[in-house]
Amino acid sequence: MAEPTASGALTDEFVAEWRNAAYNCYSSGHKFCREVCPVMQVTRDEAHTPTAFHANVVAMDEGHLTIEDVARDYVHCTQCGACELRCPNTLFTGDFYRFRTRTVDLVKAVRALAVESGVHQPGWQRWNELTEAAKSEPVLNGTPVSQEHVADWAEGLDLPVGGETVLFCDCEAAFYRTSVPRAVARILQAGGVAFGLMREQWCCGGPAAEMGYAEQARRFAEHNVADWRAVGAKRILVLDPHDYISFTEDYPRFFGEEFDFDIVLVVELVAELIREGRLELTQPVERVVTYHDACRLNKRKGIHREPREILRAIPGLTFKDVDHVTQWSYCSGAGAGLGIERPDLTAEISRRRVERAKALEIDTLVSACVWSERPLSEQGGKQDVEVVDLMELVAQAAGLEG
């Protein structure tokens, strides 16, 4: 970590990198980005807007603000990417000017500058200390977390260690929502997909990167990549969108062309298995559902067709869909550490999301992101809406429960 006296030099270097992006912020009078921001919908605080995030860089460039002045503002972002989709720079001018808004990257960069300058948020600092100690995230509720138990969820499934294809199980799924990885493993086995587990799986490092602990994120990435190479893995199956973002965006930045792994999202693979008849869904599931578009799938990666394809293939299911475009402003509030520093905001964002789902007269809200399912479940319990992972429904329809 840099000495506090170096923070001025760090800021100069940061501003030099982000100055153009800040001055290119469209900042329209209508503030398109503001109205799709899940945090801004709750707080109505202009300091929490993407416009303000860019304006702060301009202010630092002019010497009016320091990282110490603004670091707390950047807590208020789930890195969902909705603002980038709605920014006219991306919608209308990106192709012409070869420039698109990069608010998510900016927020990560400011958080990293804060940490490097010795400015910490207490919840994030403690979270990453615990992750460093256990090599997996503390998953919020005190569930015992250790490397000795990272694969306990797979007990009785006869999964080998290593091989050309490895399944990476997210920390939240490995230690808390264990029914999800068990469902995924049974589905893949039934579909004839051969895969193994890592020798020693650490957290993907994505949460650390999102909270500004970039050096820790890279060390975790280096460990995981070394483990994959040691077991001969060439293809990595990923069940959680947060890991998928890490492996397709952060890891290539860390390792460049040396990162030569095929990263496969389980949702897309399962849709393919169903489409090709390799996985048959024959057991009716009598539920009335709608689907929650996880931000890192829909907004960040444009993946919205496959989850709906799967839902429509499940017999007995009544699926009340909402056009994916209208869900750009929907969020569970669980991303980028918001629930650690501002659990009140995460709870309110989730409450509003469940309320919108309930208005469709459904009994089940389906998600394909284990991190979204905890806050949504907490609010769903208060509104008589059950929250279920998509893979849990698939396993039920395929007669693979347990």
Side-chain angles (χ1 to χ4, degrees), residues 190-192 269-281 309:
L269 176 57
V270 170
E272 179 182 306
L273 294 177
I274 296 171
R275 195 183 307 129
E276 295 179 353
R278 296 161 61 191
L279 179 69
E280 295 185 356
L281 307 184
E309 180 182 346

Side-chain angles (χ1 to χ4, degrees), residues 29-52:
H30 294 289
K31 292 187 171 65
F32 300 114
C33 59
R34 178 182 65 182
E35 298 310 322
V36 294
C37 172
V39 173
M40 182 60 183
Q41 288 172 9
V42 175
T43 69
R44 309 309 297 175
D45 187 335
E46 288 290 339
H48 303 157
T49 63
T51 301

Side-chain angles (χ1 to χ4, degrees), residues 106-179:
L106 172 63
V107 170
K108 290 174 69 174
V110 172
R111 292 177 178 185
L113 172 64
V115 170
E116 196 173 358
S117 301
V119 181
H120 297 271
Q121 307 305 322
W124 289 350
Q125 185 175 25
R126 180 61 176 155
W127 181 275
N128 284 284
E129 287 173 350
L130 291 171
T131 303
E132 179 68 60
K135 309 308 178 190
S136 294
E137 293 182 272
V139 299
L140 292 173
N141 69 338
T143 299
V145 172
S146 69
Q147 279 299 296
E148 291 75 20
H149 298 289
V150 72
D152 283 0
W153 63 268
E155 184 178 356
L157 295 178
D158 298 322
L159 298 177
V161 173
E164 287 196 2
T165 300
V166 165
L167 174 65
F168 187 94
C169 182
D170 180 87
C171 300
E172 177 80 352
F175 293 102
Y176 183 72
R177 206 173 181 98
T178 56
S179 59

